[in-house]
Amino acid sequence: MEVKARAPGKIILAGEHAVVHGSTAVAAAIDLYTYVTLRFPLQSAENNDRLTLQLKDISLEFSWSLARIKEAIPYDSTTLCRSTPTSCSQETLKSIAVLVEEQNLPKEKIWLSSGISTFLWLYTRIIGFNPATVVINSELPYGSGLGSSAALCVALTAALLASSLSDKTHGNGWSSLDETNLELLNKWAFEGEKIIHGKPSGIDNTVSAYGNMIKFCSGEITRLQSNMPLRMLITNTRVGRNTKALVSGVSQRAARHPDVMNSVFNAVDSISKELAAIIQSKDDTSVTEKEESIKELMEMNQGLLQSMGVSHSSIEAVIQTTVKHKLVSKLTGAGGGGCVLTLLPTGTVVDKVVEELESSGFQCFTASIGGNGAQISY
């Protein structure tokens, strides 16, 4: 049997960093996906006593005997309960880490360890100790702030849950899970994100699971329904950043200048709320007028992010390039590098700006905003 699943990456449209200080943030799915294919061998097939993970994008393969996995990961009949998402204990995580270490990851790929650990935890908790080959490939650049880890957790969980569904009449096309299974999927994916990130907000996995857009404030996530098409040019600066240090830097600045920074955070909150209202609006305002309003809000948001100290010379270089083409851009995510969003109003041709950005060493994607969440196919 073969099951396929895919899950989208995400962008932060407005509110990054300020959200840590109580402001509203708006995040959206993008049509760049991580794909997972789950293949179960025939009973008589060779290697029907192994679990194999193939990472196609980076040409790596890992394989464990089921006996070795059972030896390392505590198991009894009560621990396999796919309908009740559970956290991975520190003790179990240490045992899983040993399984990963035995695969002798290249030093330059050691950052994959947490993702592989997440794979082993989700697989054994949802499927149990059954042989399979799991193939993963992704359109999302790793570690660039586009939610690649959440897309992995969501797509993997979708494939694992789908393999146990009694209804397999979806055909060859992509189909969404029903609301009950989506809720279960999102909870399991969040447990996976906890292994990778420690204390994730839940924003990334929720956007990836449900798609479209969400509004997030003080721990409360509200799903939004977009009523207008949005396209963005996403530019990956290829500059790595330390999210923890950037978040800490904003907090330190807020401690030094509390009144000023509170005003900044309040302004960001207003921008996020107005942006959400525009996107959901069903009034007679034309798409062009809405796009003009979004451009202004993005421009203001970027200015406020600069005042927080989280921009970077690479981000400014992208902004300067897009401004020459009369386009508005802002950083997305932690800043300090990472990715930059550029709004593409209806009818915009991006060939020239993309050529100029890529000639400077940047990586560019065009993406539709607010599309499908997790989907499966048989």
Side-chain angles (χ1 to χ4, degrees), residues 44-216:
S44 58
E46 293 183 18
N47 294 326
N48 69 348
D49 63 343
R50 299 192 71 80
L51 176 60
T52 299
L53 173 64
Q54 296 177 354
L55 304 180
K56 285 293 187 181
D57 301 306
I58 46 185
S59 302
L60 288 177
E61 179 174 306
F62 310 97
S63 188
W64 301 264
S65 72
L66 296 180
R68 178 68 188 99
I69 295 175
K70 288 179 182 178
E71 180 184 314
I73 300 177
Y75 172 78
D76 62 62
S77 59
T78 62
T79 61
L80 177 60
C81 186
R82 63 179 60 89
S83 62
T84 308
T86 52
S87 299
C88 184
S89 69
Q90 286 301 310
E91 183 180 351
T92 301
L93 195 54
K94 289 178 183 177
S95 298
I96 292 174
V98 173
L99 289 176
V100 177
E101 288 169 7
E102 290 171 356
Q103 295 294 308
N104 297 316
L105 265 170
K107 286 185 179 179
E108 66 276 12
K109 302 293 184 185
I110 203 70
W111 54 272
L112 289 167
S113 298
S114 60
I116 299 170
S117 295
T118 298
F119 161 74
L120 288 167
W121 170 254
L122 291 175
Y123 187 92
T124 54
R125 293 309 91 178
I126 297 173
I127 295 292
F129 298 91
N130 295 308
T133 296
V134 180
V135 182
I136 298 174
N137 61 289
S138 184
E139 298 166 342
L140 296 162
Y142 296 105
S144 61
L146 298 182
S148 58
S149 66
L152 165 65
C153 292
V154 171
L156 175 61
T157 304
L160 297 174
L161 291 175
S163 70
S164 63
L165 294 178
S166 57
D167 176 17
K168 295 187 172 61
T169 59
H170 294 281
N172 295 321
W174 291 107
S175 300
S176 298
L177 294 163
D178 61 37
E179 196 72 17
T180 300
N181 280 304
L182 271 176
E183 183 180 359
L184 177 62
L185 158 66
N186 194 37
K187 288 178 179 177
W188 270 118
F190 182 62
E191 294 301 332
E193 279 276 85
K194 284 161 67 174
I195 294 175
I196 296 173
H197 293 297
K199 295 182 179 179
S201 66
I203 292 175
D204 289 14
N205 53 278
T206 300
V207 172
S208 188
Y210 289 100
N212 218 316
M213 301 183 186
I214 65 167
K215 185 168 63 174
F216 179 84

Side-chain angles (χ1 to χ4, degrees), residues 302 306 311 314-324 327 329-331 340 357:
Q302 175 60 26
Q306 288 172 325
S311 193
S314 62
I315 294 170
E316 299 304 320
V318 173
I319 291 171
Q320 288 168 15
T321 299
T322 58
V323 162
K324 288 191 292 184
L327 298 171
S329 304
K330 68 171 284 288
L331 68 84
V340 179
L357 288 167

Side-chain angles (χ1 to χ4, degrees), residues 195-357:
I195 294 175
I196 296 173
H197 293 297
K199 295 182 179 179
S201 66
I203 292 175
D204 289 14
N205 53 278
T206 300
V207 172
S208 188
Y210 289 100
N212 218 316
M213 301 183 186
I214 65 167
K215 185 168 63 174
F216 179 84
C217 185
S218 301
E220 183 177 338
I221 294 174
T222 305
R223 289 161 61 187
L224 306 178
Q225 186 65 45
S226 173
N227 287 300
M228 65 174 293
L230 272 181
R231 286 178 67 241
M232 295 276 180
L233 175 66
I234 302 173
T235 303
N236 181 10
T237 64
R238 303 181 192 266
V239 174
R241 70 273 185 276
N242 185 327
T243 299
K244 186 175 181 180
L246 289 160
V247 170
S248 176
V250 174
S251 294
Q252 290 169 19
R253 186 169 291 203
R256 292 192 298 270
H257 311 285
D259 292 341
V260 175
M261 290 298 285
N262 280 337
S263 296
V264 170
F265 299 145
N266 287 336
V268 172
D269 184 65
S270 297
I271 287 170
S272 295
K273 289 175 178 175
E274 187 173 340
L275 181 66
I278 292 169
I279 287 168
Q280 294 185 98
S281 172
K282 295 181 180 179
D283 62 24
D284 295 329
T285 307
S286 69
V287 171
T288 301
E289 289 178 281
K290 289 181 179 179
E291 288 173 343
E292 284 298 316
S293 294
I294 291 171
K295 280 174 61 177
E296 289 184 340
L297 291 171
M298 287 179 62
E299 192 170 38
M300 287 187 283
N301 196 174
Q302 175 60 26
L304 293 167
L305 287 162
Q306 288 172 325
S307 74
M308 294 182 211
V310 296
S311 193
H312 185 271
S313 58
S314 62
I315 294 170
E316 299 304 320
V318 173
I319 291 171
Q320 288 168 15
T321 299
T322 58
V323 162
K324 288 191 292 184
H325 296 268
K326 299 181 179 179
L327 298 171
V328 170
S329 304
K330 68 171 284 288
L331 68 84
T332 184
C339 287
V340 179
L341 300 180
T342 304
L343 180 66
L344 300 178
T346 305
T348 301
V349 178
V350 297
D351 294 0
K352 288 184 179 179
V353 68
V354 167
E355 182 180 351
E356 192 169 342
L357 288 167

Side-chain angles (χ1 to χ4, degrees), residues 31-49:
D31 59 348
L32 297 172
Y33 294 91
T34 291
Y35 297 86
V36 172
T37 301
L38 176 60
R39 300 189 185 112
F40 294 107
L42 297 172
Q43 199 67 31
S44 58
E46 293 183 18
N47 294 326
N48 69 348
D49 63 343

